[in-house]
Amino acid sequence: YSPQKLHPISYIDGLISVIKSNFIVIIIFLFNIKDFKYDDFSSYIIPGIMTLIFSIGFIHNIIKVYNTRYWIEEDHFILTTGVFNKERKELNISRIQSADTSQGLINQIVGGVELIIKTPSDGIELGTISKKQSEVIEQELRSIQERMNNQVNQEAKELNDENHTQTYQQHAKPQYAIFKMPFKQLLFMSMTSGAIALAFVTLSPIIGSLSSVIPWDKFGEEISSVFKTIYFIVIFIVILVLLLSYIIGTIMYLIKFYGYQVIQDNHQLKIQYGLFTKKNITVPTDRLQGVLEHQSFIRKLFGYTSIHFYIDTTEGEPTDNDGRIMILPFIPRKEAYKVIRPLVPEMTFNHAKIGMPLKGFHRHFLIPSLCIIGMGIIGWYMWSLWSLIIALLPILLFFVYAILYTRFSGFAFSESELVVQKASILNIKRFYVKKEKVLGMAISQHPFLERSQLANFQFVIAKGSSQQNIGLKFSEVDNVLKLKNWYMKGDTHEVL
């Protein structure tokens, strides 16, 4: 209840964050330091600018940490911080939904954590405080919330029955784990994940810098002459980057989601995961807006999937986007719904009727293909035939996308629930939404679609501080009108 300072390790965290933000630049500079001319004054300009930017960022973080204070005052949690201008933020404790923690490797050694306190529309992030202090804060916030709730309940009870004097207390159910990921399952998830893309982006400039310092001459004159040709160098670097990206991407996923488990605590879920950086995420299931099943075609072959919740709050990790929270990252599909159904008993998770009208098939690729062919012809005229050949690749991808979309997309609805299944070239997404959670509906149709008796539709639900659009393109007009009647008039005629 008195102003508290951040943990001293916050100063080191500030240094690490500055290094992370300039990591790629630092690596490229280190690999090219052999070309640095110590006797040329102009060679010091770029390193000097980098050092200045680095120093300004570090000093800024030091001052910000030094000026940061936090405390509880009456029914508010207060944070003051700033470098040149003092900023003061107050959160009404009754609105606080969760207090999540993140613990990096250094913090694990010194016993510090990063604390993130969240409300439906705002939040406070404390750089680093002691783990004991974070536990005390969370307990005190819960205690104040319970006291405030008891006051509200007592006032309501006295209003309803002035003669009733007895009170009762609801005992909280004990926490229990509803999902724990075994290491073999974690390894399989990492090997079939898309982390290769992130690793590829990270490694590409590093490998590019390495290519200039590789001693090609040591491979012998014959091999050296082969690898010095531009085509073989490009092929070698691409293969090397892809291989390293896959290996490093798999390891990154293993480290990030190590020990993943989901614990149920009354109407909240607590997600814990991480090896070097331990995450503790709280998910308020009473704010649930919809459920998403995200299944790549690779994982579909092995019968695995992932489950996400849409929450109408601003959430942190493990979210792909604001308000989309991953609950089950990798689990056999049959087991997934056994875990989810008790958490969301009001939802039935019906199957969608898959298969879109064939008369909408060509609309997925016809116009984009004509544009690409036009650019390919221009490239053929101004450059070579290869422009037209290269243009065939995206056209082929559009064609495959049209096949998958038409074959695997669809929807269905019952009296109170909607399911929409949407396929793309990489994955299948299944959206499950309760009717009362839908914020709006949009239908679009241009003259060509009208002539073909086709229409596009979208439903809108809340997602974090924004919204999520759920819909399909080129559906039968009759089915879209049934959806409209279901939403507007409560028509329970189900599309089967």
Side-chain angles (χ1 to χ4, degrees):
Y1 285 90
S2 60
Q4 304 291 313
K5 296 181 180 181
L6 296 179
H7 196 286
I9 199 67
S10 297
Y11 296 106
I12 299 178
D13 287 341
L15 175 63
I16 294 174
S17 65
V18 174
I19 294 175
K20 284 182 178 179
S21 62
N22 297 278
F23 178 73
I24 294 178
V25 177
I26 293 173
I27 292 296
I28 294 175
F29 175 76
L30 291 177
F31 278 120
N32 290 278
I33 198 171
K34 65 180 184 65
D35 298 325
F36 187 80
K37 299 179 181 179
Y38 294 93
D39 56 346
D40 186 2
F41 177 78
S42 61
S43 299
Y44 291 88
I45 295 177
I46 295 179
I49 294 174
M50 290 172 53
T51 304
L52 180 62
I53 295 173
F54 186 89
S55 301
I56 291 174
F58 181 51
I59 294 172
H60 179 273
N61 285 335
I62 288 178
I63 298 174
K64 189 173 182 179
V65 170
Y66 180 79
N67 289 336
T68 299
R69 299 289 186 275
Y70 61 94
W71 69 94
I72 295 174
E73 185 175 307
E74 296 180 349
D75 295 334
H76 289 79
F77 189 91
I78 301 173
L79 172 71
T80 61
T81 186
V83 179
F84 300 107
N85 299 317
K86 282 284 186 178
E87 299 176 5
R88 178 185 175 99
K89 180 178 284 191
E90 298 185 9
L91 295 184
N92 191 322
I93 294 178
S94 64
R95 297 276 293 163
I96 291 176
Q97 290 184 332
S98 64
D100 301 338
T101 60
S102 175
Q103 192 176 28
L105 181 61
I106 296 178
N107 285 335
Q108 292 180 46
I109 297 174
V110 301
V113 297
E114 295 179 12
L115 181 66
I116 305 100
I117 299 173
K118 302 173 186 173
T119 68
S121 60
D122 202 354
I124 284 177
E125 182 173 347
L126 296 178
T128 303
I129 63 176
S130 67
K131 187 176 182 180
K132 182 179 180 180
Q133 180 78 326
S134 71
E135 294 171 352
V136 172
I137 290 174
E138 186 174 2
Q139 292 173 2
E140 191 64 23
L141 293 177
R142 286 187 177 183
S143 176
I144 295 174
Q145 287 181 331
E146 289 176 2
R147 173 175 57 79
M148 297 171 73
N149 291 334
N150 290 336
Q151 289 177 354
V152 173
N153 293 335
Q154 184 64 28
E155 291 174 359
K157 193 172 296 184
E158 291 175 355
L159 183 63
N160 292 331
D161 188 0
E162 295 179 356
N163 297 323
H164 184 66
T165 58
Q166 293 183 349
T167 60
Y168 67 94
Q169 182 179 6
Q170 293 181 342
H171 296 282
K173 296 179 181 179
Q175 297 182 0
Y176 63 97
I178 61 174
F179 173 75
K180 290 184 178 180
M181 185 181 295
F183 183 78
K184 289 183 179 179
Q185 193 168 314
L186 173 62
L187 179 61
F188 194 17
M189 178 187 77
S190 303
M191 294 176 67
T192 57
S193 69
I196 182 174
L198 177 61
F200 181 83
V201 173
T202 304
L203 286 176
S204 295
I206 299 175
I207 298 297
S209 300
L210 276 174
S211 64
S212 62
V213 299
I214 294 176
W216 301 107
D217 294 335
K218 293 185 179 180
F219 291 103
E221 292 184 2
E222 185 174 344
I223 298 178
S224 176
S225 62
V226 171
F227 276 101
K228 279 185 178 179
T229 61
I230 185 64
Y231 293 107
F232 282 99
I233 290 178
V234 171
I235 293 172
F236 175 77
I237 292 176
V238 168
I239 294 175
L240 180 62
V241 170
L242 289 175
L243 181 61
L244 289 177
S245 297
Y246 181 76
I247 296 172
I248 294 176
T250 300
I251 295 173
M252 288 168 60
Y253 236 68
L254 279 171
I255 293 172
K256 181 177 181 179
F257 292 103
Y258 181 83
Y260 194 101
Q261 64 174 339
V262 182
I263 299 172
Q264 186 170 9
D265 183 12
N266 291 324
H267 65 280
Q268 292 184 333
L269 297 179
K270 294 185 178 294
I271 301 174
Q272 301 175 354
Y273 65 97
L275 180 61
F276 296 144
T277 301
K278 292 185 177 181
K279 298 280 188 177
N280 289 276
I281 310 297
T282 302
V283 183
T285 56
D286 56 348
R287 309 289 296 184
L288 180 68
Q289 302 299 305
V291 177
L292 166 66
E293 179 189 353
H294 188 283
Q295 185 180 41
S296 67
F297 284 103
I298 294 177
R299 293 179 176 180
K300 182 178 174 63
L301 291 175
F302 298 99
Y304 283 85
T305 190
S306 63
I307 301 293
H308 304 248
F309 281 0
Y310 287 117
I311 305 293
D312 64 341
T313 56
T314 304
E315 299 292 338
E317 288 285 347
T319 62
D320 301 321
N321 296 299
D322 178 28
R324 174 176 159 181
I325 306 175
M326 184 166 57
I327 305 299
L328 303 176
F330 190 77
I331 186 173
R333 191 165 189 265
K334 293 182 179 179
E335 295 182 14
Y337 288 94
K338 292 180 181 178
V339 175
I340 293 299
R341 280 193 171 93
L343 299 179
V344 195
E346 67 273 14
M347 300 190 75
T348 55
F349 298 103
N350 294 320
H351 295 286
K353 179 190 176 183
I354 60 173
M356 301 297 290
L358 289 177
K359 52 188 174 182
F361 173 77
H362 66 281
R363 301 179 184 274
H364 292 283
F365 62 87
L366 181 60
I367 294 178
S369 297
L370 292 176
C371 295
I372 293 173
I373 289 174
M375 291 186 291
I377 292 174
I378 295 173
W380 178 18
Y381 176 77
M382 300 188 65
W383 181 45
S384 71
L385 182 61
W386 280 102
S387 299
L388 197 57
I389 296 175
I390 293 173
L392 294 177
L393 178 59
I395 293 174
L396 178 62
L397 293 177
F398 278 120
F399 186 77
V400 172
Y401 167 75
I403 294 175
L404 295 174
Y405 191 95
T406 306
R407 172 64 181 85
F408 293 105
S409 298
F411 68 93
F413 63 89
S414 60
E415 182 177 357
S416 61
E417 187 174 330
L418 170 70
V419 53
V420 176
Q421 180 168 312
K422 186 176 181 179
S424 67
I425 200 166
L426 295 176
N427 54 58
I428 296 175
K429 295 180 181 179
R430 300 178 183 91
F431 302 89
Y432 302 93
V433 182
K434 295 294 289 184
K435 182 179 177 181
E436 62 267 19
K437 300 296 184 181
V438 178
L439 301 179
M441 180 186 184
I443 299 174
S444 61
Q445 186 183 42
H446 54 69
F448 294 104
L449 289 182
E450 187 176 357
R451 188 176 63 181
S452 301
Q453 291 295 299
L454 297 175
N456 308 324
F457 73 87
Q458 280 191 342
F459 288 95
V460 180
I461 63 171
K463 185 191 74 165
S465 59
S466 60
Q467 62 185 32
Q468 173 68 35
N469 296 323
I470 300 171
L472 294 172
K473 299 173 65 176
F474 314 133
S475 300
E476 293 280 2
V477 168
D478 291 341
N479 287 337
V480 175
L481 291 178
K482 289 177 183 178
L483 277 174
K484 179 182 177 182
N485 292 332
W486 170 79
Y487 174 65
M488 298 294 293
K489 302 177 182 179
D491 188 350
T492 58
H493 180 68
E494 182 177 5
V495 176
L496 295 173

